[in-house]
Amino acid sequence: MSVLRRALALSGVLVLAAAGCGSNSLEGSSTSPSSAPSSAPASGGPDLSGALPAKIKSAGKIVVGVDASYPPNEFLQGGKTVVGMDVDLFNAVAQKFGVTVDWQPAGFDTIITGVQGGKYDVGVSSFTINDKRKQQVNMVSYFNAGTLWATAKGNPKGVNADDACGKTVAVQKGTTQLEDDIPKRQAKCKAEGKPEIKLVVREKQDQATADLVAGKADAMLADSPIVLYAIKQTNGQLEQLGDIYDAAPYGYVVPKDQTEFAQAITEALKALDQEGTYKSTLQKWNNDSGAITDFAVNP
């Protein structure tokens, strides 16, 4: 599936922030949405405004659900403004439609249902595309990432990702890692008569990272860009365990009955790629290794 830098303070609170970009508190704080500047459809590429659902066209904005605890892809700057790779890229997508983005922080596991129920027009939050999600919503591919494990520097607890039975592992609620990866590992532990993996399940990824740094967990696993960024942020207190695996695309979440809109988003991404904005946005966040060219609906 699917990379982030600064010091971290450890007296119970971990601060994760992009260099020069402010901070992201583990415990969260009052939030306010951020949006792209108002504009007419960006020049170049096809006119996509006709593909906008009536609600979005009338409002002049796309209301997006986002879990702002997943740096560098989406996180809070100064405790209130949503920033990150996903934010910059989707703001650019919205400009191709001539609308702005209203970023609404939400719990990761509530975003898809929020899109289904009309609370959000789109979900943008590092969602790995899988069969279960494609049954619920349309998903537009825009990036490629994998899963990666991390431990404290030197792996003092001797964690083996292929045999983590009996170890304490931190993971975020609602993620592919918790719902798909961990159950397979638990089944293997049980089949081999070994103790199960002890899970520390957190609402936010930055909380899971803090648990590992504080020694409350022996290891953590998450999307590769997030783990790589956390390693940089902690100034060498964490290290990568093993290699990236299970690479898969991220997708924007769009209502199931809005396939035309979803297809138009792929056209916006293609236009951004042709003009160089797509890759330059990923490069800004050191994520260009995850660039794709085959943008598609429900790949």
Side-chain angles (χ1 to χ4, degrees), residues 49-222:
S49 58
L52 284 171
K55 175 187 173 185
I56 297 175
K57 187 177 295 185
S58 175
K61 65 181 181 180
I62 303 173
V63 179
V64 173
V66 59
D67 168 23
S69 72
Y70 219 53
N73 296 359
E74 45 268 331
F75 61 105
L76 292 177
Q77 176 184 334
K80 60 181 180 179
T81 304
V82 185
V83 299
M85 180 199 76
D86 275 347
V87 177
D88 287 350
L89 184 57
F90 195 76
N91 280 344
V93 168
Q95 287 180 348
K96 291 297 182 184
F97 290 92
V99 295
T100 61
V101 183
D102 182 358
W103 293 94
Q104 295 286 332
F108 181 77
D109 59 344
T110 70
I111 295 173
I112 289 180
T113 54
V115 170
Q116 290 175 310
K119 182 176 182 179
Y120 312 118
D121 299 317
V122 175
V124 180
S125 204
S126 304
F127 283 100
T128 300
I129 297 177
N130 59 34
D131 290 341
K132 177 182 177 181
R133 289 170 178 163
K134 286 192 289 186
Q135 291 173 4
Q136 300 170 313
V137 290
N138 284 310
M139 301 199 76
V140 181
S141 59
Y142 66 92
F143 185 78
N144 205 48
T147 291
L148 187 61
W149 286 63
T151 66
K153 186 71 174 179
N155 193 8
K157 298 297 180 67
V159 178
N160 177 353
D162 294 327
D163 184 7
C165 307
K167 301 297 185 182
T168 300
V169 176
V171 64
Q172 186 187 9
K173 181 180 180 182
T175 59
T176 298
Q177 287 79 23
L178 180 62
E179 296 184 352
D180 297 338
D181 193 325
I182 290 293
K184 295 173 185 176
R185 296 177 187 276
Q186 295 285 42
K188 184 171 181 286
C189 292
K190 184 176 180 180
E192 295 176 354
K194 298 178 179 178
E196 67 178 11
I197 298 169
K198 302 169 188 174
L199 296 177
V200 179
V201 179
R202 303 289 274 175
E203 289 288 337
K204 300 177 182 295
Q205 174 57 43
D206 49 12
Q207 295 170 336
T209 302
D211 286 338
L212 178 57
V213 173
K216 296 178 181 178
D218 303 328
M220 74 173 187
L221 69 164

